[in-house]
Amino acid sequence: MRITGTGHASMRIDTAAGSILCDPWVNPAYFASWFPFPDNSQLDWAGLGQTDYLYVSHLHRDHFDAEHLTRYVSKKATVLLPEYPTSELEDQLRELGFTSFLKTTSNEVVELDGGLRVMIQALTSPTDGPIGDSSLWVEYDGVRLLNQNDARPTDLAVFAELGHVHAHLLQFSGAIWYPMVYELPQVAKTAFGKQKRERQFDRTFRYIADLEASWVFPIAGPPCFLDEELWQYNDIAGDEGNIFPDQQVFIDEYRKIGKENAVILLPGTVARLEGESCVTEHPVDDVRAFFEAKEQHLKEYAQRQRPVIEAARASWRHPGIDVLKELKRRIEPLLDESVYLAQGVAGPVRLDLVTPDGADGEVVESIVIDFPGQQVRRYSDEKVRYRFRTERVLVEHLLHTEEVDWANSLFLSCRFSAARIGQYNEFVYTFVKCLSEERLQYAEGWYAEQRPDPEDITLGDWVVQRRCPHLKADLTRFGIIDDGVLTCQLHGWRFDLASGRCLTSVGHELRSRPAAQPAV
Ligand code: FES
């Protein structure tokens, strides 16, 4: 089996029984804020695109690059489709010209021609990616690979049971807007960023330890930020609060826990797997030297991409759009139907639209999404649950394109700032990624079906429910207790054990009691 690194979460897997191209991403995503790092635009995409199978793990724009798929990927390729609750991924691929789909069932192995076997695990909670994220397992001639990319399975047992895995490819770096966009003192942002960076590594190490693969490939990040406005998000200034560490930083951290089996996939790296061996050829002589020259690489890359960013900026402006009127038309029918999400938000959310000078611009319009009142209206000097501040042109563009997922566009762009009263509220972000009838209904149904977990476990001096109240991670594996607080390492949520209160988000109470105290 041969793996060719093609940048970010993308790779091509070649076997004698066929090739699979995964998540090819080249064009900037999220309002031209994210670019693949390192630059992968010079690869032979015409050749790479002649593939037998295409796997797009999910609809996040750094995995689903419509322009690139249209231009370079053979429409004769059979799409390996995860089992998602909505048909959006299939619909969007069909629109690009793909016609051959192999609809997989989550966690079931599919036998393809020539002895190639694949299995896709689809994660389907409303907080998994854009309503769905997935991992691909591949086996050929006794060699097994798990492309976990940025999916967060609650455990990897289903893959481990299929036999020893030789290559484990997974995310290790950040892919979110937290904490950078929050209006907090810099010292607090640095402290939160540092915590987040450490948690990302801990979670990655946990997954690696669970699967015990022969070789580990850190992939699916970090992106790079080539627009001057976002340049500070690149991890080049030695900032310990930066959540976007690169592959070399990961390898160095991984070595600190005594591990030497990680392999970097640069765009163009070829890794040949045979039994336990992995022979790697890189497109550069010295990988460490490449990362040491990262800042120069980014500066030259930014220079090349400047016209692309300028063209994108010019396309966002639609001054004829009446933003309040359009938001009312789009959002009020959804507020009418929302039960669990509206109750979860439980307050107004304010949107400040500013002139196009980044988040520092002057406020030209202030609008409230009033969840309890089920309406969208002008802000009237009231207390709000969250406040978002962004350029008006970005919202004009979201409305112009009828975007149904603002997390997969505005929020991941980091071209906004946020302030909140109280804790993080996942319902706010779930609502803004469900701005269509289909998505909203699915999310509402999902929350309606959540049941408390009946099983208890003992962790240290405490008895707690086995499954995390967030997304049901097994706390025997992901739970750690420190000073009366349980942290679930899957997403880092924290729970006060004495009260069961979730310290990270509203709701989501944990059942807990001291082990010495009998159950009531
Ligand atoms: S499953 Fe997300 S923090 Fe536990």
Side-chain angles (χ1 to χ4, degrees):
M1 188 180 292
R2 192 172 78 225
I3 308 170
T4 303
T6 47
H8 197 65
S10 171
M11 74 199 74
R12 181 169 148 141
I13 302 162
D14 282 277
T15 71
S19 53
I20 308 172
L21 182 63
C22 306
D23 289 343
W25 173 46
V26 177
N27 296 293
Y30 314 123
F31 285 108
S33 66
W34 286 37
F35 286 77
F37 170 76
D39 184 0
N40 61 354
S41 59
Q42 303 308 315
L43 294 176
D44 170 21
W45 282 108
L48 291 162
Q50 296 306 309
T51 181
D52 300 301
Y53 301 98
L54 169 70
Y55 168 65
V56 176
S57 60
H58 62 296
L59 272 172
H60 271 159
R61 300 300 170 191
D62 54 319
H63 298 255
F64 177 92
D65 179 347
E67 189 180 334
H68 186 81
L69 290 167
T70 303
R71 186 150 172 216
Y72 288 107
V73 181
S74 167
K75 303 303 171 296
K76 291 185 191 146
T78 296
V79 178
L80 303 174
L81 203 63
E83 185 184 27
Y84 283 145
T86 73
S87 60
E88 287 171 277
L89 179 56
E90 179 181 350
D91 296 345
Q92 292 196 32
L93 286 164
R94 279 193 191 280
E95 268 178 38
L96 304 184
F98 294 93
T99 56
S100 172
F101 289 85
L102 197 160
K103 297 186 187 186
T104 63
T105 301
S106 191
N107 293 332
E108 278 187 18
V109 175
V110 182
E111 311 273 347
L112 302 175
D113 290 344
L116 185 60
R117 303 171 81 218
V118 299
M119 182 174 87
I120 298 176
Q121 179 182 69
L123 304 181
T124 58
S125 94
T127 51
D128 282 316
I131 313 288
D133 201 344
S134 67
S135 304
L136 171 73
W137 172 93
V138 180
E139 181 189 69
Y140 180 73
D141 199 21
V143 176
R144 294 177 204 92
L145 161 160
L146 177 64
N147 171 12
Q148 187 182 331
N149 65 74
D150 56 12
R152 309 264 171 83
T154 51
D155 69 59
L156 299 178
V158 66
F159 303 108
E161 281 161 11
L162 296 170
H164 176 72
V165 170
H166 300 85
H168 186 186
L169 302 101
L170 77 169
Q171 188 182 48
F172 64 98
S173 194
I176 192 77
W177 50 85
Y178 172 86
M180 305 87 75
V181 303
Y182 279 96
E183 294 167 16
L184 293 168
Q186 190 53 46
V187 57
K189 270 196 217 189
T190 303
F192 290 136
K194 187 166 176 263
Q195 255 176 25
K196 168 112 183 61
R197 185 172 164 120
E198 284 164 5
R199 276 207 315 264
Q200 291 166 182
F201 285 136
D202 287 346
R203 180 181 58 230
T204 310
F205 296 156
R206 176 59 57 106
Y207 277 128
I208 292 169
D210 277 0
L211 198 61
E212 295 183 318
S214 312
W215 301 97
V216 168
F217 297 76
I219 62 157
C224 60
F225 300 88
L226 303 183
D227 190 335
E228 272 168 38
E229 207 177 275
L230 305 166
W231 181 257
Q232 70 275 14
Y233 297 148
N234 296 306
D235 189 19
I236 47 178
D239 170 9
E240 57 180 5
N242 186 298
I243 69 157
F244 298 109
D246 64 39
Q247 296 88 331
Q248 186 63 56
V249 174
F250 170 82
I251 297 244
D252 292 343
E253 285 297 311
Y254 189 51
R255 281 203 178 118
K256 287 184 193 162
I257 61 165
K259 301 290 184 180
E260 297 284 344
N261 63 334
V263 180
I264 290 178
L265 281 183
L266 293 172
T269 295
V270 176
R272 288 188 173 76
L273 292 162
E274 244 183 72
E276 288 301 308
S277 98
C278 175
V279 178
T280 309
E281 273 169 56
H282 293 293
V284 296
D285 294 335
D286 184 339
V287 173
R288 183 173 287 277
F290 172 82
F291 283 96
E292 280 167 2
K294 177 175 168 182
E295 185 167 356
Q296 192 55 32
H297 173 84
L298 291 178
K299 281 184 177 159
E300 288 165 13
Y301 192 6
Q303 193 63 31
R304 293 193 294 277
Q305 293 294 338
R306 183 169 293 167
V308 174
I309 295 170
E310 280 167 8
R313 279 189 173 281
S315 72
W316 301 336
R317 184 177 291 275
H318 309 279
I321 290 183
D322 180 335
V323 172
L324 176 60
K325 192 169 153 207
E326 271 305 293
L327 284 174
K328 278 175 97 63
R329 182 183 73 77
R330 294 271 319 274
I331 292 180
E332 284 188 351
L334 301 172
L335 289 174
D336 267 354
E337 288 173 27
S338 177
V339 177
Y340 292 94
L341 296 182
Q343 275 172 8
V345 178
V349 171
R350 174 176 160 190
L351 186 59
D352 282 350
L353 305 179
V354 304
T355 48
D357 295 308
D360 297 331
E362 184 193 329
V363 177
V364 288
E365 205 165 350
S366 197
I367 291 170
V368 157
I369 303 175
D370 179 352
F371 284 84
Q374 298 181 315
Q375 59 173 322
V376 178
R377 55 178 169 75
R378 292 217 181 280
Y379 170 65
S380 63
D381 204 17
E382 64 214 276
K383 232 183 186 171
V384 294
R385 187 73 186 75
Y386 266 75
R387 176 170 55 71
F388 297 111
R389 184 184 172 95
T390 191
E391 291 179 29
R392 189 184 196 275
V393 291
L394 301 183
V395 176
E396 288 170 10
H397 194 62
L398 294 171
L399 293 168
H400 174 77
T401 55
E402 306 246 318
E403 178 61 63
V404 301
D405 186 342
W406 286 26
N408 193 13
S409 46
L410 176 63
F411 289 92
L412 279 167
S413 79
C414 301
R415 295 183 187 274
F416 73 106
S417 69
R420 67 183 191 225
I421 295 176
Q423 293 169 302
Y424 167 75
N425 185 309
E426 79 170 27
F427 301 101
V428 171
Y429 292 107
T430 303
F431 185 83
V432 298
K433 69 158 81 162
C434 290
L435 300 180
S436 73
E437 176 85 26
E438 189 185 24
R439 284 192 175 202
L440 186 85
Q441 287 302 321
Y442 175 70
E444 288 285 331
W446 192 88
Y447 283 109
E449 279 171 13
Q450 295 310 295
R451 297 268 183 283
D453 171 30
E455 191 182 344
D456 283 341
I457 55 166
T458 301
L459 271 186
D461 296 335
W462 292 87
V463 174
V464 298
Q465 66 189 62
R466 177 165 187 167
R467 295 277 166 186
C468 175
H470 177 217
L471 289 180
K472 300 193 183 305
D474 185 345
L475 294 172
T476 60
R477 307 203 66 74
F478 286 94
I480 49 165
I481 290 179
D482 186 27
D483 202 15
V485 172
L486 180 145
T487 301
C488 171
Q489 289 181 303
L490 193 55
H491 306 97
W493 283 33
R494 299 166 71 242
F495 302 86
D496 174 52
L497 286 162
S499 62
R501 197 165 67 86
C502 178
L503 302 173
T504 306
S505 179
V506 286
H508 303 89
E509 197 162 309
L510 177 86
R511 190 173 60 249
S512 61
R513 63 180 162 83
Q517 177 184 307
V520 284

